[in-house]
Amino acid sequence: MTTTQMPETDIPAPSHPPGPSAVSPGLAAASGVLAAGAALATGEVMSGFSQKIPSLVIGIAEIFVAETPGGIVRWSIETFGASQKTLLIWGITIASLVVGALLGLAAAKRRSVAVVGYAGFAILGGWAAARAALSSDGLSWLSAIISAGVGLAVLFALLRMSPTRVTTPTSGDQTGLLATPERRAFLGVAGAAAFWGIFGSGLGRALRRNQSVEGARDEVATQLAAARPT
């Protein structure tokens, strides 16, 4: 009695989408930096729409100045002069980008860490902005929440689109980064986030500067009108 043996066939193993931890640490950190930059830029642009919406970064800087012992503040003014506030703002910005990189690394393994981190960003930024003179509590908190939401959305989008495996480099692409449409899409989103982080920050400062000039003109006009003899 002979038995018929079924031909052996190669059954492909089921493919599973790579989990969050499949993102390389470098891309995760870069995604976090880009997301944090986009969040900061969003807050800067919103602060340029109205004097009732302070810059989140400047609001945090003012808290640092208010809560720092007077001796340290005097030393910083004597040492750095008029550049003291600018250096403080740059320091806060850089620290925010570093925190963003850390959140990117953590979110590559567990997305909920990023949610908690950006919630903390919104709470700190909204509280700092609401403390500023002439600010609107509602608009300050709205600016902080929207900024955090933009940062979180950019981070999740970049992590979801991050290349997770090495492919054969195409002609003229020695790194293989442009080898697939997914990777090109990732670079497109990353480039857009970088552009918004740089352009948005500059736009926000320009809008605030115009507000300051217009506010100064209105104040001078009011004083002149009050000084005119009736």
Side-chain angles (χ1 to χ4, degrees):
M1 180 176 180
T2 60
T3 57
T4 304
Q5 294 183 350
M6 297 296 294
E8 294 183 359
T9 57
D10 295 333
I11 301 176
S15 60
H16 299 283
S21 60
V23 180
S24 69
L27 287 179
S31 299
V33 170
L34 292 173
L40 293 176
T42 301
E44 291 297 292
V45 171
M46 292 191 68
S47 71
F49 291 145
S50 172
Q51 292 183 341
K52 294 183 179 181
I53 310 176
S55 164
L56 303 179
V57 176
I58 294 178
I60 295 174
E62 291 178 349
I63 289 179
F64 268 98
V65 173
E67 300 298 330
T68 301
I72 298 177
V73 174
R74 285 192 298 272
W75 172 84
S76 63
I77 294 175
E78 293 172 357
T79 304
F80 302 110
S83 303
Q84 180 243 13
K85 186 175 182 179
T86 301
L87 291 174
L88 179 58
I89 291 174
W90 272 106
I92 293 173
T93 301
I94 293 173
S96 300
L97 296 178
V98 171
V99 172
L102 296 176
L103 285 177
L105 288 169
K109 299 179 180 179
R110 183 174 296 179
R111 299 290 197 259
S112 59
V113 176
V115 175
V116 174
Y118 274 94
F121 169 84
I123 293 172
L124 177 60
W127 174 68
R131 283 169 50 105
L134 304 179
S135 68
S136 166
D137 290 351
L139 292 176
S140 297
W141 282 104
L142 180 63
S143 172
I145 292 171
I146 292 177
S147 299
V150 168
L152 197 61
V154 170
L155 178 60
F156 283 176
L158 288 173
L159 290 178
R160 185 175 62 252
M161 302 168 67
S162 294
T164 56
R165 59 186 178 277
V166 178
T167 60
T168 303
T170 59
S171 175
D173 179 21
Q174 298 302 319
T175 63
L177 192 59
L178 300 178
T180 63
E182 291 78 8
R183 296 183 180 218
R184 290 193 290 271
F186 170 81
L187 288 179
V189 174
F195 173 79
W196 175 244
I198 297 172
F199 173 77
S201 298
L203 177 62
R205 286 192 295 269
L207 291 174
R208 284 201 307 272
R209 189 159 47 245
N210 290 338
Q211 282 186 10
S212 299
V213 171
E214 292 176 0
R217 288 175 181 171
D218 293 341
E219 184 177 354
V220 170
T222 301
Q223 292 176 353
L224 290 176
R228 271 186 209 143
T230 56

